[in-house]
Amino acid sequence: MTPGKIAGEVVAAELLAGLNPAQAEAVTAPDVPLLVLAGAGSGKTRVLTHRVAYLVATHRAQPQRVLAVTFTNKAAREMRSRLGVLLGGGVEGMWLGTFHAMGARMLRQRGELAGVPRDFVIYDEGDRAAVMKEAMAQAGVDEKRFSLASISGEISRAKNDLRGPEEFGASARGFVESQAARVYPRYQALLETNRALDFDDLLLKVVRMLESSAEALERYRDRFRHVLVDEYQDTNRAQYRILRLLVGEHRRVTVVGDPDQSVYSWRGADLRNILEFQRDYPDALVVPLEQNYRSTAAILRAAGAVIRENTQRLDKGLWTAGPEGDPVRVGQFYDEREEASAVAAEAGRLNASGELAWGEAAVLYRTNAQSRALEEVLLREGIPYRLIGGLRFYQRKEVKDVLAYLRLLANPSDRVAFERVINVPRRGVGAQSIAQVRDLLQGGGGRLEAVLEIPELAGLRGAAAQGLRRFHDLLADLHDYSSQWPLVQLLDRLLERSGYRQLVRDGTPEGEERWANLTELRGLAAELGDDPAAATLPAFLEQLALAGDVDQMDDSASGAITLITLHQVKGLEFPVVFVTGVEEGLLPHVRSLDSEASLEEERRLLYVGMTRARERLYLSHCFQRHLYGSPRGATPSRFLRPLSALEGTSGWGSPGSFVAPPATRGQPLVLTRAREAILREVTKAAPAVVSGPRYAAGDRVEHQRFGRGVIRVSEMTPGGEEVVIDFETAGRRRFAVSDAVLRKLA
DNA sequence: TGCGGGTCCAGCGGG
DNA sequence: TGGACCCGCA
């Protein structure tokens, strides 16, 4: 026996330590198709990573022959770092990432086998919308009658179902579909001229490649002798097809998922993939993970009672060896303001008694609009919170603009990028001139680069022509520069030479905020600087395109209550969870009432929310809720029915927590007022009615996001107090004072 | 070309 | 209610 083998066995034994029998079974299962039905909080990620590590440690798999696919970048990162720890390095060469990253990588390697140019760019949702708009115009589809979103959705769905323009056109039924069928081929043609793929293409083209090229199929099948997939319940048909093709005859495939947590059918996820795994592989080994390590018995019982009403599911008996815990509380409140106050009051009570740090609680809701009332109350009460979602980093105008410049440098055919920045900052090239250029290119009258150099080709004269030429010179300059200097310097030069820095930094606080975002982008480029392979422009752009967003959940240590949608909260957990707005029309949402399947998905959404809670779970609904500005009556969700008779479930607050609506509207409820008074005393947070500045130069402060710093300037503006802070690590920044993110240090 | 007011719309959002 | 978008006017 070789020393290596012995070491491997030692590691293997360590990998099984602390696993329960079901987990161990899944980790050590033989090379047969394996379906791990992992209930909420049952250690799913642990099993997946340990199985990969186990396969490697026991020499059943070489790292470079393993493909492990996750749904999010975050999950991929986590898995990579956990594997690094488990194996002490040794993950080199392993393909570990999202489906889309995997697709991009394969297409860079062998995409030409499916007619994909090697230097393709990846279009995000914004770019896709721009192209879609143009395609709709070409097809003569009226944007007023058919929304971009509906057409775009149809086409995306078609792609996820592996239907090309012809096939889709042949089977199109109904108004929207037939319009989409006219747009689809034009949309695809435009992507092609731009040498661009959208996210759906990253999957679709891989399928086409593997199906049409024996060489490609052979190559990747041989390469990936072990295939493992996380969140299998969320895979769409294209992803399913890729897996089937890759797994082929060797059938060493492990999928992990929970049908009860499938909440993305509207994005193409197909529950059949997991429900029918055993039909696809009749000899599959199915290992249910039923022991929950997260929630109390009371919480599990309530969640189980809710999800059991669904018909489309594989029953699991989720159980816990943990304590019964506090009862699950269901409360009714007058309206969303009182609901928010109740959340704040309860969180405040727990915090005051030392049972809860702010960062340990989350407030969940169905729609983003619901966050407003919560924010207002938390702000008023001085309770720190962080809002997940909203406008994301890469969707910010300034970031998209600068990225468009970079994309144009990397790919001069990218007309979406061109149209985005040709007149930003202004160069005298208006909509009219852009249209002329577009028409010329449309008619095949030349390449974009040529038109930039000789604008007269497009019939342009005067200021517009000069603007295009200046733009051309700028790009040429940057192009030369980029061949000799690292990314960061290129970015700096771009910001200077283009005039973009001046445009953004207009002296307003908003301008500084935008500039701060660009500084962050610069930071990302700098991070890559250490790695020569990643520091090229194309690699940088690809990474950003696939990264989607800077991870908002990474700073989980923040001392703030989390406000988050039910969809985004999947995969997270908190000691204390409030699920708000559990009402008919909201959860289930009105738009899901038309089919039993979507209704069941809504129920799963509530289930996901409930199972995020470790110790305390609160559900609330209102008597009335403001929707689009006007009040409407609300009734408790049908999903709550099985809870009414359930042991370990009780009302939230005193029996009188809900009282009849007041006779005159707009009059605050006495009870609400009393509660606020109590809360104020408990949290000692005085209402934020301040007439003068709260900060002075020299004050030491801590910012939720940027850390510690010193106030340099404080001034009162019509919009409130504004401060300039020198941060220890984040440099000088300017803010409007917000108690939610800034606090004074002693 | 840039801005202001009218109008329309409103679910969840990974990669 | 509030944001996005369009049209018309300076």
Side-chain angles (χ1 to χ4, degrees):
Chain A
M1 199 172 271
T2 64
K5 182 119 186 178
I6 296 167
E9 277 167 11
V10 172
V11 172
E14 278 171 12
L15 286 171
L16 300 179
L19 298 184
N20 68 36
Q23 291 174 331
E25 186 189 0
V27 168
T28 59
D31 289 337
V32 295
L34 173 64
L35 166 62
V36 181
L37 285 175
S42 64
K44 169 184 71 112
T45 313
R46 189 146 184 249
V47 162
L48 197 62
T49 48
H50 280 241
R51 178 159 173 86
V52 173
Y54 187 84
L55 290 173
V56 172
T58 55
H59 306 288
R60 271 165 61 194
Q62 296 170 281
Q64 68 274 20
R65 291 267 162 105
V66 173
L67 172 68
V69 200
T70 60
F71 254 76
T72 63
N73 288 301
K74 191 176 162 221
R77 264 200 309 279
E78 268 172 30
M79 195 162 159
R80 184 171 291 282
S81 85
R82 286 206 204 186
L83 275 176
V85 173
L86 291 177
L87 291 171
V91 282
E92 292 82 21
M94 191 180 296
W95 277 39
L96 200 173
T98 63
F99 268 106
H100 293 89
M102 175 202 74
R105 198 164 162 191
M106 287 183 174
L107 293 171
R108 291 269 180 235
Q109 292 177 340
R110 286 290 182 279
E112 71 273 15
L113 296 172
V116 175
R118 213 160 257 242
D119 61 346
F120 67 85
V121 290
I122 300 167
Y123 273 7
D124 70 10
E125 288 309 308
D127 304 322
R128 155 191 232 146
V131 177
M132 196 66 71
K133 229 175 196 164
E134 197 176 335
M136 283 172 71
Q138 280 181 22
V141 172
D142 185 1
E143 255 196 77
K144 293 218 174 76
R145 293 179 57 210
F146 302 93
S147 77
L148 191 139
S150 65
I151 300 287
S152 182
E154 282 296 334
I155 293 174
S156 178
R157 203 163 313 132
K159 287 186 173 189
N160 285 327
D161 287 343
L162 303 172
R163 284 175 294 158
E166 307 77 26
E167 197 187 338
F168 181 76
S171 65
R173 308 256 177 283
F175 267 137
V176 183
E177 269 189 46
S178 61
Q179 296 300 308
R182 286 155 31 84
V183 177
Y184 191 0
R186 293 177 168 90
Y187 170 72
Q188 213 53 36
L190 282 171
L191 285 183
E192 220 163 284
T193 31
N194 294 352
R195 308 174 80 77
L197 301 187
D198 63 16
F199 283 119
D200 300 325
D201 285 336
L202 292 178
L203 307 173
L204 177 63
K205 298 286 184 189
V206 168
V207 173
R208 297 283 184 252
M209 175 178 81
L210 295 176
E211 279 180 344
S212 64
S213 159
E215 181 201 326
L217 187 62
E218 185 60 31
R219 173 192 165 96
Y220 290 110
R221 264 191 193 169
D222 182 58
R223 164 91 199 216
F224 303 125
R225 304 217 179 145
H226 293 266
V227 178
L228 301 97
V229 187
D230 194 12
E231 305 280 11
Y232 191 60
Q233 78 282 352
D234 284 333
T235 47
N236 61 34
R237 281 327 253 189
Q239 290 158 336
Y240 169 84
R241 188 79 194 124
I242 292 173
L243 289 175
R244 294 284 288 179
L245 285 161
L246 286 179
V247 168
E249 299 302 310
H250 70 58
R251 305 164 86 250
R252 280 182 293 268
V253 57
T254 297
V255 301
V256 182
D258 181 2
D260 288 338
Q261 294 186 60
S262 163
V263 290
Y264 283 111
S265 74
W266 48 278
R267 260 176 2 198
D270 194 335
L271 202 47
R272 283 181 301 171
N273 293 349
I274 192 165
L275 293 178
E276 295 175 4
F277 186 80
Q278 292 176 82
R279 192 209 59 190
D280 293 336
Y281 302 101
D283 59 332
L285 179 61
V286 181
V287 180
L289 301 181
E290 298 180 316
Q291 183 174 4
N292 173 293
Y293 293 94
R294 182 186 294 152
S295 310
T296 63
I299 291 168
L300 271 193
R301 196 160 52 241
V306 168
I307 199 64
R308 253 199 307 281
E309 307 265 308
N310 270 5
T311 58
Q312 290 299 301
R313 61 188 298 262
L314 305 173
D315 197 25
K316 298 181 297 297
L318 213 53
W319 62 280
T320 175
E324 167 67 17
D326 282 5
V328 172
R329 312 239 173 219
V330 181
Q332 182 176 33
F333 301 96
Y334 176 58
D335 64 7
E336 69 274 5
R337 290 190 46 212
E338 202 202 326
E339 181 184 50
S341 296
V343 168
E346 183 65 8
R349 184 183 72 78
L350 293 171
N351 176 262
S353 66
E355 292 171 86
L356 174 80
W358 295 127
E360 293 174 343
V363 189
L364 280 43
Y365 39 83
R366 180 64 175 81
T367 67
N368 278 308
Q370 289 170 254
S371 69
R372 175 169 244 100
L374 291 160
E375 272 191 273
E376 279 169 10
V377 170
L378 293 174
L379 214 49
R380 188 186 67 207
E381 303 297 347
I383 296 176
Y385 68 89
R386 59 174 177 159
L387 183 72
I388 308 297
L391 195 55
R392 296 187 267 154
F393 184 69
Y394 291 115
Q395 283 170 14
R396 286 172 197 276
K397 183 184 180 300
E398 60 275 14
V399 175
K400 294 209 68 172
D401 283 349
V402 171
L403 286 180
Y405 273 103
L406 292 178
R407 278 166 39 185
L408 209 45
L409 280 175
N411 171 16
S413 315
D414 192 334
R415 283 166 46 203
V416 171
F418 163 74
E419 290 189 17
R420 182 167 186 104
V421 292
I422 174 60
N423 211 30
V424 182
R426 315 219 160 277
R427 296 185 181 88
V429 187
Q432 195 58 45
S433 310
I434 292 176
Q436 269 175 264
V437 173
R438 188 188 302 156
D439 287 347
L440 177 80
L441 297 173
Q442 202 52 54
R447 298 176 41 137
L448 180 55
E449 285 168 285
V451 180
L452 291 182
E453 202 167 354
I454 312 167
E456 287 74 15
L457 287 173
L460 293 176
R461 256 168 264 103
Q466 210 159 27
L468 280 185
R469 260 192 293 270
R470 264 173 40 220
F471 189 66
H472 174 267
D473 294 344
L474 171 69
L475 289 183
D477 171 73
L478 293 172
H479 199 270
D480 286 348
Y481 196 79
S482 71
S483 58
Q484 302 164 41
W485 296 90
L487 264 177
V488 180
Q489 266 91 332
L490 173 65
L491 210 48
D492 288 341
R493 191 175 179 95
L494 191 166
L495 289 167
E496 281 313 315
R497 293 274 165 124
S498 67
Y500 203 87
R501 186 182 69 86
Q502 256 192 311
L503 177 77
V504 165
R505 304 192 81 177
D506 55 2
T508 64
E510 293 79 20
E512 286 308 302
E513 176 67 35
R514 290 200 297 273
W515 181 247
N517 286 326
L518 291 177
T519 312
E520 207 161 318
L521 183 67
R522 190 181 180 282
L524 288 171
E527 272 174 41
L528 286 184
D530 310 331
D531 176 1
T536 67
L537 185 51
F540 181 56
L541 291 173
E542 175 132 333
Q543 194 184 323
L544 293 189
L546 290 170
D549 203 359
V550 281
D551 216 313
Q552 301 180 70
M553 295 304 299
D554 273 358
D555 51 348
S556 51
S558 78
I561 290 189
T562 300
L563 306 188
I564 190 170
T565 65
L566 284 161
H567 279 93
Q568 285 190 294
V569 84
K570 203 171 96 164
L572 304 177
E573 60 174 45
F574 297 88
V576 175
V577 167
F578 299 90
V579 185
T580 61
V582 192
E583 291 151 26
E584 283 298 302
L586 212 48
L587 188 65
H589 195 272
V590 257
R591 313 251 303 219
S592 71
L593 297 177
D594 51 358
S595 84
E596 192 58 34
S598 56
L599 205 60
E600 294 207 346
E601 180 150 319
E602 296 286 302
R603 191 180 274 114
R604 291 195 290 269
L605 204 46
L606 175 59
Y607 175 75
V608 164
M610 293 173 78
T611 51
R612 299 308 98 195
R614 287 218 294 260
E615 294 155 23
R616 289 191 170 91
L617 174 61
Y618 301 83
L619 308 171
S620 60
H621 54 93
C622 297
F623 170 80
Q624 97 176 10
R625 184 173 292 275
H626 289 86
L627 232 56
Y628 312 137
S630 46
R632 300 190 189 189
T635 52
S637 168
R638 67 190 79 185
F639 301 154
L640 292 172
R641 257 177 244 150
L643 297 185
S644 56
L646 200 72
E647 197 187 329
T649 305
S650 74
W652 177 1
S654 63
S657 75
F658 167 64
V659 290
T664 45
R665 275 205 308 143
Q667 193 78 24
L669 283 174
V670 176
L671 203 79
T672 307
R673 233 183 222 164
R675 185 175 287 137
E676 281 170 14
I678 293 164
L679 175 76
R680 223 168 273 134
E681 200 178 303
V682 169
T683 61
K684 296 193 177 66
V689 182
V690 182
S691 50
R694 270 167 283 178
Y695 297 95
D699 282 353
R700 296 183 57 242
V701 292
E702 181 161 19
H703 188 273
Q704 196 185 314
R705 177 154 160 233
F706 297 114
R708 287 167 186 242
V710 179
I711 302 276
R712 286 294 163 227
V713 180
S714 165
E715 58 191 25
M716 293 306 292
T717 72
E721 184 180 359
E722 286 180 14
V723 290
V724 175
I725 304 174
D726 279 338
F727 287 103
E728 286 169 10
T729 52
R732 177 169 291 192
R733 285 162 198 267
R734 187 186 179 93
F735 300 98
V737 168
S738 146
D739 292 327
V741 292
L742 197 63
R743 70 185 179 92
K744 202 184 280 198
L745 295 174

